[in-house]
Amino acid sequence: MHIRDFIKNFSNHPVLFIGTGMSLRYLENSFTWDGLLSYISQQLKDTEEYYFDLKAKHGNDGTYDYTRIAKDLEIEFNNTLERERNGKFKHINDKFYENMKVDNNISRFKLYISDLLSEYVVKEEMKQEVAELKKVRKNIGSVVTTNYDSFIEEIFEFNQLIGNNILLSNPYGSVYKIHGCVHDPSKIIITDKDYANFHERYELIRAQLLSLFIHNPIIFMGYNIGDDNIKQLLKTIFTYVDPNTTQAEKIRKNFLLVEYEPESTNTEVTDHDIDMSGFSTIRINKIKTDNFHEIYKNLSNLSLPVSAMDIRKVQNVVKDIYEGGNIKVSITEDVDALENNEKVLALGSLKTIKYEFQTTSELMENYFKIVDESNHQLLKLIDKFKIQKNQYFPIYAFSMIQTELNSETELKVNQDGKLANLFNQQNDFAQQHTTITSIQSDEEIPRSRKTSAILFGIMQDRIPLEDVEEYLRDYQDRKSTDYRKILCVYDYKKYAGDEATSRFTILEPHEAQI
């Protein structure tokens, strides 16, 4: 089955289960488990032989117990740093003693892991594929990951959940960091003792994740078929669900393992049997490929009746209701008698109930997030808004993403008209400036005219669009008219393309005039 047809059958928002392979694929500074321990050992001892001794101690027939290797390495690392206060790892000792001042006893070994992985660099050749991955986030319910780094939660802009916070979570829009995170080194799980403690406390977390896995499609990425994380998860599920039931069959059909195969463009999903000792054989779906772009494209194009983004909004309100907040709840009609497609949840004031996914103002405030996600579903709402001619609204990028807008032509005429009013017969008075920073720091340009200077610089191609984008992404007051003006000019210059015209007449500056 083609990956397109497999994903098209999803009836709920998928959950991603992310492993080390994803960080290795996209990040410059990432490690396998073996690679991480080997690197730390090398930095500590300035030789690879100490790590080889640890592997020999905890190896059997070519397999190694990395949890016990990590335990021995942690002991040696901590003891060495304790003896050498101001040596090579002085900055780690500094962090250790800063934490101890507030009775926060964190292993120096884990502080170093956190320091090592706290910042990441995306590989230059993978940036385009990461941009495609970002588009997937609008259709993803949650992410579960065993990775320590913060790559996936930062590009998805999901809430990070570590340790007991998993139990108090809103499942939609969350990243479950089940093995810990660089942002909280005390929760990092890496040694045999860590894993033993984790499994003792895991039952409630297991129940929380089990609910996700039973009701949502699960896509494993960054793992191979023999990974213990996958086997343990499958054992957990089918310990609670009878493998011979229709529910079990439904769950199996929802599992997809994406296994990396270098240079493969394969797009076909096949069956695969996983043999597990002491357990029955379990059949799941698998695709071996290097064509992640095709997977991301089809996940991004997945169209479900309710977006994951809006389920997050609803769950936040329901959470307030559960907690006994000052919210009145009124249920009308016989809800149980309604068909699924007839049910509506309305959230609003007591006097006037009106629910929209986003207002025109919110669309502009979230412009870059919508473009990053290529969120065509959300943009269908534009046809339902009454956007006035005198309103700044950036339609060019939105119309490229959502190609079925009835109001596209009218809104482009409106946007062009607003820009014409900004530039026609106006003086380009700050031609010496090629950056936004230089305009802002020029004391000869009045504060009231700095935005105009920026607009002229963008329209006349003096200020690079990459700089304008960075400026707009960091803009604080996104409700302001200045933000909307600059956004509309940026949108026009970047996305109008062949539709751009020379209708704007900009005058040369008068002598001595600003």
Side-chain angles (χ1 to χ4, degrees), residues 489-513:
V489 174
Y490 166 85
D491 179 75
Y492 176 83
K493 291 293 290 183
K494 187 170 180 69
Y495 295 106
D498 294 338
E499 298 181 58
T501 68
S502 57
R503 64 171 62 87
F504 307 122
T505 305
I506 301 174
L507 300 180
E508 292 298 313
H510 296 308
E511 289 185 12
Q513 180 177 348

mmCIF file of all heavy atoms in Angstrom, residues 489-513:
data_model
loop_
_atom_site.group_PDB
_atom_site.id
_atom_site.type_symbol
_atom_site.label_atom_id
_atom_site.label_comp_id
_atom_site.label_asym_id
_atom_site.label_seq_id
_atom_site.Cartn_x
_atom_site.Cartn_y
_atom_site.Cartn_z
ATOM 1 N N VAL A 489 3.815 44.254 3.249
ATOM 2 C CA VAL A 489 4.851 44.530 2.257
ATOM 3 C C VAL A 489 5.753 43.303 2.079
ATOM 4 O O VAL A 489 6.088 42.908 0.963
ATOM 5 C CB VAL A 489 5.684 45.766 2.664
ATOM 6 C CG1 VAL A 489 6.856 45.965 1.702
ATOM 7 C CG2 VAL A 489 4.814 47.010 2.678
ATOM 8 N N TYR A 490 6.129 42.678 3.199
ATOM 9 C CA TYR A 490 6.930 41.447 3.138
ATOM 10 C C TYR A 490 6.194 40.367 2.342
ATOM 11 O O TYR A 490 6.764 39.717 1.460
ATOM 12 C CB TYR A 490 7.225 40.960 4.559
ATOM 13 C CG TYR A 490 7.759 39.542 4.624
ATOM 14 C CD1 TYR A 490 9.119 39.277 4.471
ATOM 15 C CD2 TYR A 490 6.893 38.468 4.831
ATOM 16 C CE1 TYR A 490 9.607 37.981 4.527
ATOM 17 C CE2 TYR A 490 7.372 37.167 4.887
ATOM 18 C CZ TYR A 490 8.732 36.933 4.734
ATOM 19 O OH TYR A 490 9.195 35.637 4.776
ATOM 20 N N ASP A 491 4.916 40.159 2.656
ATOM 21 C CA ASP A 491 4.101 39.141 1.998
ATOM 22 C C ASP A 491 4.044 39.380 0.490
ATOM 23 O O ASP A 491 4.180 38.456 -0.308
ATOM 24 C CB ASP A 491 2.695 39.169 2.603
ATOM 25 C CG ASP A 491 1.747 38.174 1.977
ATOM 26 O OD1 ASP A 491 1.878 36.968 2.264
ATOM 27 O OD2 ASP A 491 0.872 38.592 1.191
ATOM 28 N N TYR A 492 3.867 40.651 0.108
ATOM 29 C CA TYR A 492 3.784 41.005 -1.311
ATOM 30 C C TYR A 492 5.117 40.753 -2.019
ATOM 31 O O TYR A 492 5.166 40.125 -3.079
ATOM 32 C CB TYR A 492 3.387 42.473 -1.439
ATOM 33 C CG TYR A 492 3.358 42.981 -2.858
ATOM 34 C CD1 TYR A 492 2.251 42.769 -3.670
ATOM 35 C CD2 TYR A 492 4.450 43.669 -3.388
ATOM 36 C CE1 TYR A 492 2.225 43.232 -4.976
ATOM 37 C CE2 TYR A 492 4.440 44.128 -4.695
ATOM 38 C CZ TYR A 492 3.328 43.914 -5.483
ATOM 39 O OH TYR A 492 3.310 44.360 -6.774
ATOM 40 N N LYS A 493 6.209 41.217 -1.403
ATOM 41 C CA LYS A 493 7.506 41.080 -2.054
ATOM 42 C C LYS A 493 7.948 39.615 -2.158
ATOM 43 O O LYS A 493 8.572 39.220 -3.139
ATOM 44 C CB LYS A 493 8.566 41.875 -1.275
ATOM 45 C CG LYS A 493 8.409 43.368 -1.362
ATOM 46 C CD LYS A 493 8.677 43.900 -2.767
ATOM 47 C CE LYS A 493 10.139 43.807 -3.133
ATOM 48 N NZ LYS A 493 10.421 44.400 -4.478
ATOM 49 N N LYS A 494 7.620 38.811 -1.162
ATOM 50 C CA LYS A 494 8.089 37.418 -1.155
ATOM 51 C C LYS A 494 7.215 36.495 -1.994
ATOM 52 O O LYS A 494 7.718 35.570 -2.633
ATOM 53 C CB LYS A 494 8.165 36.890 0.280
ATOM 54 C CG LYS A 494 8.803 35.498 0.384
ATOM 55 C CD LYS A 494 9.083 35.115 1.805
ATOM 56 C CE LYS A 494 9.715 33.721 1.913
ATOM 57 N NZ LYS A 494 11.089 33.702 1.363
ATOM 58 N N TYR A 495 5.891 36.750 -2.009
ATOM 59 C CA TYR A 495 4.991 35.757 -2.590
ATOM 60 C C TYR A 495 4.189 36.230 -3.810
ATOM 61 O O TYR A 495 3.553 35.401 -4.453
ATOM 62 C CB TYR A 495 4.008 35.258 -1.516
ATOM 63 C CG TYR A 495 4.698 34.513 -0.401
ATOM 64 C CD1 TYR A 495 4.870 35.097 0.858
ATOM 65 C CD2 TYR A 495 5.198 33.228 -0.591
ATOM 66 C CE1 TYR A 495 5.505 34.430 1.888
ATOM 67 C CE2 TYR A 495 5.845 32.551 0.436
ATOM 68 C CZ TYR A 495 5.995 33.152 1.670
ATOM 69 O OH TYR A 495 6.634 32.484 2.691
ATOM 70 N N ALA A 496 4.210 37.517 -4.130
ATOM 71 C CA ALA A 496 3.414 37.972 -5.278
ATOM 72 C C ALA A 496 3.991 37.441 -6.580
ATOM 73 O O ALA A 496 3.257 37.133 -7.517
ATOM 74 C CB ALA A 496 3.340 39.499 -5.299
ATOM 75 N N GLY A 497 5.314 37.335 -6.669
ATOM 76 C CA GLY A 497 5.940 36.728 -7.842
ATOM 77 C C GLY A 497 5.545 37.414 -9.125
ATOM 78 O O GLY A 497 5.667 38.634 -9.282
ATOM 79 N N ASP A 498 5.040 36.621 -10.083
ATOM 80 C CA ASP A 498 4.659 37.156 -11.387
ATOM 81 C C ASP A 498 3.472 38.104 -11.307
ATOM 82 O O ASP A 498 3.213 38.862 -12.247
ATOM 83 C CB ASP A 498 4.323 36.017 -12.360
ATOM 84 C CG ASP A 498 5.545 35.168 -12.682
ATOM 85 O OD1 ASP A 498 6.671 35.671 -12.513
ATOM 86 O OD2 ASP A 498 5.367 33.995 -13.079
ATOM 87 N N GLU A 499 2.743 38.058 -10.188
ATOM 88 C CA GLU A 499 1.602 38.948 -10.030
ATOM 89 C C GLU A 499 2.033 40.359 -9.628
ATOM 90 O O GLU A 499 1.241 41.291 -9.671
ATOM 91 C CB GLU A 499 0.641 38.404 -8.971
ATOM 92 C CG GLU A 499 0.038 37.062 -9.325
ATOM 93 C CD GLU A 499 -0.925 36.584 -8.268
ATOM 94 O OE1 GLU A 499 -1.902 37.295 -7.979
ATOM 95 O OE2 GLU A 499 -0.697 35.490 -7.701
ATOM 96 N N ALA A 500 3.293 40.519 -9.195
ATOM 97 C CA ALA A 500 3.772 41.835 -8.784
ATOM 98 C C ALA A 500 3.784 42.775 -9.985
ATOM 99 O O ALA A 500 4.128 42.390 -11.095
ATOM 100 C CB ALA A 500 5.171 41.719 -8.188
ATOM 101 N N THR A 501 3.403 43.989 -9.781
ATOM 102 C CA THR A 501 3.358 44.987 -10.855
ATOM 103 C C THR A 501 4.179 46.197 -10.459
ATOM 104 O O THR A 501 4.659 46.321 -9.350
ATOM 105 C CB THR A 501 1.907 45.441 -11.123
ATOM 106 O OG1 THR A 501 1.444 46.176 -9.982
ATOM 107 C CG2 THR A 501 0.991 44.263 -11.349
ATOM 108 N N SER A 502 4.317 47.104 -11.385
ATOM 109 C CA SER A 502 5.052 48.351 -11.119
ATOM 110 C C SER A 502 4.074 49.484 -10.849
ATOM 111 O O SER A 502 4.290 50.611 -11.262
ATOM 112 C CB SER A 502 5.947 48.685 -12.316
ATOM 113 O OG SER A 502 5.169 48.780 -13.503
ATOM 114 N N ARG A 503 2.964 49.155 -10.202
ATOM 115 C CA ARG A 503 1.927 50.159 -9.966
ATOM 116 C C ARG A 503 2.325 51.183 -8.911
ATOM 117 O O ARG A 503 1.651 52.174 -8.736
ATOM 118 C CB ARG A 503 0.619 49.486 -9.536
ATOM 119 C CG ARG A 503 0.702 48.761 -8.216
ATOM 120 C CD ARG A 503 -0.685 48.297 -7.745
ATOM 121 N NE ARG A 503 -1.280 47.355 -8.664
ATOM 122 C CZ ARG A 503 -1.080 46.041 -8.629
ATOM 123 N NH1 ARG A 503 -0.277 45.529 -7.728
ATOM 124 N NH2 ARG A 503 -1.650 45.247 -9.482
ATOM 125 N N PHE A 504 3.413 50.910 -8.177
ATOM 126 C CA PHE A 504 3.789 51.813 -7.099
ATOM 127 C C PHE A 504 4.768 52.872 -7.614
ATOM 128 O O PHE A 504 5.825 52.544 -8.156
ATOM 129 C CB PHE A 504 4.423 51.038 -5.938
ATOM 130 C CG PHE A 504 3.563 49.903 -5.460
ATOM 131 C CD1 PHE A 504 4.038 48.607 -5.457
ATOM 132 C CD2 PHE A 504 2.259 50.131 -5.043
ATOM 133 C CE1 PHE A 504 3.247 47.567 -5.035
ATOM 134 C CE2 PHE A 504 1.455 49.084 -4.618
ATOM 135 C CZ PHE A 504 1.943 47.803 -4.621
ATOM 136 N N THR A 505 4.437 54.119 -7.427
ATOM 137 C CA THR A 505 5.269 55.231 -7.876
ATOM 138 C C THR A 505 5.923 55.893 -6.677
ATOM 139 O O THR A 505 5.253 56.552 -5.883
ATOM 140 C CB THR A 505 4.419 56.279 -8.639
ATOM 141 O OG1 THR A 505 3.722 55.628 -9.698
ATOM 142 C CG2 THR A 505 5.309 57.375 -9.193
ATOM 143 N N ILE A 506 7.233 55.683 -6.549
ATOM 144 C CA ILE A 506 7.970 56.210 -5.409
ATOM 145 C C ILE A 506 8.873 57.335 -5.892
ATOM 146 O O ILE A 506 9.661 57.159 -6.829
ATOM 147 C CB ILE A 506 8.800 55.117 -4.729
ATOM 148 C CG1 ILE A 506 7.871 53.984 -4.252
ATOM 149 C CG2 ILE A 506 9.593 55.665 -3.559
ATOM 150 C CD1 ILE A 506 8.596 52.796 -3.687
ATOM 151 N N LEU A 507 8.751 58.502 -5.290
ATOM 152 C CA LEU A 507 9.540 59.666 -5.690
ATOM 153 C C LEU A 507 10.918 59.643 -5.066
ATOM 154 O O LEU A 507 11.128 59.089 -3.982
ATOM 155 C CB LEU A 507 8.811 60.951 -5.277
ATOM 156 C CG LEU A 507 7.410 61.165 -5.869
ATOM 157 C CD1 LEU A 507 6.853 62.470 -5.362
ATOM 158 C CD2 LEU A 507 7.439 61.138 -7.387
ATOM 159 N N GLU A 508 11.874 60.258 -5.745
ATOM 160 C CA GLU A 508 13.185 60.476 -5.159
ATOM 161 C C GLU A 508 13.053 61.520 -4.054
ATOM 162 O O GLU A 508 12.172 62.386 -4.101
ATOM 163 C CB GLU A 508 14.162 60.970 -6.222
ATOM 164 C CG GLU A 508 14.493 59.934 -7.277
ATOM 165 C CD GLU A 508 15.171 58.725 -6.688
ATOM 166 O OE1 GLU A 508 16.110 58.897 -5.888
ATOM 167 O OE2 GLU A 508 14.741 57.599 -7.001
ATOM 168 N N PRO A 509 13.926 61.500 -3.032
ATOM 169 C CA PRO A 509 13.808 62.454 -1.924
ATOM 170 C C PRO A 509 14.079 63.893 -2.363
ATOM 171 O O PRO A 509 14.941 64.128 -3.199
ATOM 172 C CB PRO A 509 14.867 61.973 -0.939
ATOM 173 C CG PRO A 509 15.857 61.226 -1.770
ATOM 174 C CD PRO A 509 15.073 60.595 -2.874
ATOM 175 N N HIS A 510 13.305 64.825 -1.798
ATOM 176 C CA HIS A 510 13.599 66.239 -2.019
ATOM 177 C C HIS A 510 14.852 66.597 -1.254
ATOM 178 O O HIS A 510 15.228 65.936 -0.289
ATOM 179 C CB HIS A 510 12.438 67.105 -1.528
ATOM 180 C CG HIS A 510 11.174 66.858 -2.313
ATOM 181 N ND1 HIS A 510 11.133 66.911 -3.672
ATOM 182 C CD2 HIS A 510 9.916 66.539 -1.899
ATOM 183 C CE1 HIS A 510 9.896 66.662 -4.083
ATOM 184 N NE2 HIS A 510 9.141 66.421 -3.012
ATOM 185 N N GLU A 511 15.516 67.625 -1.668
ATOM 186 C CA GLU A 511 16.735 68.046 -0.991
ATOM 187 C C GLU A 511 16.437 68.431 0.448
ATOM 188 O O GLU A 511 15.482 69.140 0.729
ATOM 189 C CB GLU A 511 17.356 69.239 -1.712
ATOM 190 C CG GLU A 511 17.957 68.863 -3.061
ATOM 191 C CD GLU A 511 18.676 70.041 -3.683
ATOM 192 O OE1 GLU A 511 18.889 71.043 -2.979
ATOM 193 O OE2 GLU A 511 19.020 69.945 -4.863
ATOM 194 N N ALA A 512 17.289 67.932 1.331
ATOM 195 C CA ALA A 512 17.212 68.264 2.768
ATOM 196 C C ALA A 512 15.873 67.889 3.390
ATOM 197 O O ALA A 512 15.489 68.445 4.406
ATOM 198 C CB ALA A 512 17.490 69.737 3.007
ATOM 199 N N GLN A 513 15.121 66.971 2.774
ATOM 200 C CA GLN A 513 13.818 66.577 3.345
ATOM 201 C C GLN A 513 13.901 65.158 3.870
ATOM 202 O O GLN A 513 14.505 64.294 3.247
ATOM 203 C CB GLN A 513 12.713 66.677 2.285
ATOM 204 C CG GLN A 513 11.338 66.274 2.824
ATOM 205 C CD GLN A 513 10.257 66.446 1.762
ATOM 206 O OE1 GLN A 513 10.495 67.049 0.736
ATOM 207 N NE2 GLN A 513 9.096 65.915 2.011
#
